[in-house]
């Protein structure tokens, strides 16, 4: 059993979105009927009731050997950080 908890992102809400992820089947991901996208679950916030989707996602990783025995996931960054760095490099 693996329980995940995420802080709700709704303004002023201090609730949590909680769900069990142990039985997610990556070989048979269902299409959510309401939104028409792949989703494992549709949990709601414990306080405000806002509904969220648990969707499969990808990662960007450096593969350190051909058998994928060692990979390093890259830290996510926003496009603003990238643009700021590009401007810094142009000034040099």
């Amino acid at each position: 059993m693996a329980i995940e908890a995420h802080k709700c992102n709704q303004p002023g809400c201090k609730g949590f979105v909680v769900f069990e992820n142990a039985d997610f089947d990556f070989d048979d991901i269902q299409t959510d009927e309401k939104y028409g996208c792949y989703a494992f679950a549709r949990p709601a916030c414990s306080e405000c009731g806002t509904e969220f989707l648990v969707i499969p996602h990808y990662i960007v990783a450096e593969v350190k050997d051909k058998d994928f025995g060692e990979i390093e996931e890259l830290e996510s960054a926003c496009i603003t950080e990238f643009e700021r760095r590009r401007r810094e490099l142009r000034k040099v």
Side-chain angles (χ1 to χ4, degrees):
M1 177 187 270
I3 304 293
E4 284 191 42
H6 298 261
K7 291 181 180 180
C8 183
N9 66 352
Q10 299 303 299
C13 184
K14 295 182 180 179
F16 292 86
V17 180
V18 180
F19 57 92
E20 184 177 340
N21 68 12
D23 295 326
F24 289 168
D25 185 354
F26 283 84
D27 292 327
D28 187 26
I29 304 169
Q30 301 298 308
T31 301
D32 184 83
E33 294 174 9
K34 183 176 179 180
Y35 297 102
C37 64
Y38 291 119
F40 292 118
R42 199 188 305 164
C45 174
S46 61
E47 293 186 27
C48 72
T50 298
E51 191 173 79
F52 294 87
L53 290 177
V54 179
I55 59 173
H57 74 286
Y58 61 89
I59 64 169
V60 178
E62 176 186 7
V63 178
K64 297 191 180 263
D65 65 60
K66 67 179 183 161
D67 297 323
F68 289 88
E70 184 181 350
I71 64 170
E72 182 178 344
E73 184 176 348
L74 297 182
E75 181 182 346
S76 180
C78 69
I79 195 68
T80 306
E81 291 175 274
F82 166 73
E83 291 169 345
R84 185 180 311 126
R85 178 66 178 148
R86 188 166 57 177
R87 283 192 302 272
E88 288 173 0
L89 292 173
R90 287 182 184 157
K91 292 179 182 178
V92 175

